[in-house]
Amino acid sequence: MRGVALMLGFGLIAACGRGAATSTLSPPSGEVRVEVADVGYDKQSASHYVQLDDRAKQHSLQIAIGDEPARAITLELQGLQAPRPLTNQLLGTVLARTGNAVDRVEITQVHDEIYYARIILDHGRYALDSRPSDAIALAMTVNAPIYVASELMHLVSTTADAAAPIVATNLGVTVQELTPDLASYFGIATGGGVVIADFNDEARNAGLQRGDILVAVNGQTIRTPDDFAHRAIAAGARIAMTVRRGKTTQTIMITPSVTTGASR
């Protein structure tokens, strides 16, 4: 944590209220648009938190969240798909199929160390009370903007910053490090493989999926993105990618069109 107080978000998505919501065509007065920068775990408070940064990366807000919202936001942040729809994905589908749309999410105030949020729908016609974690996860699912009351934001420390996930591309496949949060979600040890983040058509046609945990290439163990980046395969040679998918392990055979890559 970067000197920012952790406070618990409050309130399930609740009653529907008409009225004074601002149009999405202009930013809400006194609020700052933010992006989800990170989901982390604070050992001192033994809780997860979501970090929101303004678009200039000068101010930040960290809010304590539960384990399940942490997993949902982490998957959205990493572009990974859960085996079955999570609550935020279900809500997004329900809204879309009933002809409703999320204009934006607002984190509006804090009282007694509890944050409050609203989900604004249908050009400001409805405002729903929500826990910040639920509102943020839904906004990420439907690609809606997130705003925070400016007085809640804190100046970013210049002495610490969250490290970006380590990524490598090789063999037509992009992987990223298995962070502790992702390892917990998939039920494996940190360093037990890397997460499949993207791939070319050959890998897709072979059956590779985003969110697969790559544990070996041609029988050689993969623990880090750097391991994967340095696996050299002869041009046109088929390779065996051993992956964990849920509780099962399987081997996928791919003929790569790209044979080299490097961490970045």
Side-chain angles (χ1 to χ4, degrees), residues 16-167:
C16 198
R18 295 176 184 269
T22 309
S23 167
T24 58
L25 297 180
S26 59
S29 177
E31 296 186 359
V32 178
R33 185 165 178 178
V34 299
E35 307 287 350
V36 178
D38 189 26
V39 174
Y41 186 80
D42 180 57
K43 293 181 180 179
Q44 184 174 0
S45 63
S47 65
H48 287 88
Y49 64 89
V50 59
Q51 179 173 313
L52 306 172
D53 290 349
D54 67 15
R55 304 180 91 180
K57 307 293 185 186
Q58 295 180 346
H59 294 82
S60 181
L61 174 65
Q62 292 178 341
I63 302 174
I65 58 177
D67 292 346
E68 289 304 317
R71 289 171 183 154
I73 295 172
T74 295
L75 292 179
E76 292 290 343
L77 188 62
Q78 305 298 342
L80 304 176
Q81 194 70 34
R84 296 288 295 161
L86 301 179
T87 301
N88 52 299
Q89 297 166 331
L90 176 62
L91 286 173
T93 299
V94 169
L95 289 171
R97 293 190 179 181
T98 55
N100 298 284
V102 178
D103 299 335
R104 66 184 180 276
V105 159
E106 301 175 355
I107 299 171
T108 57
Q109 55 187 318
V110 59
H111 290 297
D112 297 325
E113 298 191 343
I114 296 173
Y115 281 98
Y116 293 78
R118 301 191 306 167
I119 301 170
I120 309 301
L121 299 172
D122 299 341
H123 303 288
R125 186 179 183 189
Y126 300 108
L128 308 181
D129 292 330
S130 173
R131 294 190 305 185
S133 56
D134 292 330
I136 291 166
L138 178 60
M140 296 178 75
T141 298
V142 301
N143 198 30
I146 303 169
Y147 289 89
V148 173
S150 56
E151 64 268 21
L152 301 181
M153 300 295 287
H154 302 264
L155 187 64
V156 172
S157 168
T158 58
T159 60
D161 199 7
I166 300 172
V167 175

Side-chain angles (χ1 to χ4, degrees), residues 129-264:
D129 292 330
S130 173
R131 294 190 305 185
S133 56
D134 292 330
I136 291 166
L138 178 60
M140 296 178 75
T141 298
V142 301
N143 198 30
I146 303 169
Y147 289 89
V148 173
S150 56
E151 64 268 21
L152 301 181
M153 300 295 287
H154 302 264
L155 187 64
V156 172
S157 168
T158 58
T159 60
D161 199 7
I166 300 172
V167 175
T169 299
N170 194 11
L171 309 171
V173 175
T174 298
V175 303
Q176 69 180 50
E177 65 180 334
L178 186 63
T179 65
D181 287 309
L182 289 175
S184 174
Y185 178 82
F186 289 111
I188 63 177
T190 303
V194 294
V195 182
I196 301 294
D198 202 4
F199 37 73
N200 61 13
D201 290 339
E202 288 87 352
R204 179 183 295 106
N205 294 337
L208 205 62
Q209 295 183 11
R210 289 184 177 87
D212 284 346
I213 307 299
L214 179 65
V215 296
V217 172
N218 283 1
Q220 295 181 304
T221 300
I222 302 294
R223 292 188 175 87
T224 67
D226 194 58
D227 287 345
F228 180 67
H230 289 90
R231 288 292 176 264
I233 306 295
R238 299 188 74 198
I239 63 170
M241 289 196 175
T242 303
V243 302
R244 284 277 303 276
R245 184 178 298 166
K247 300 297 183 181
T248 65
T249 300
Q250 56 187 284
T251 298
I252 296 173
M253 301 301 300
I254 305 172
T255 301
S257 58
V258 179
T259 59
T260 60
S263 296
R264 59 180 176 84

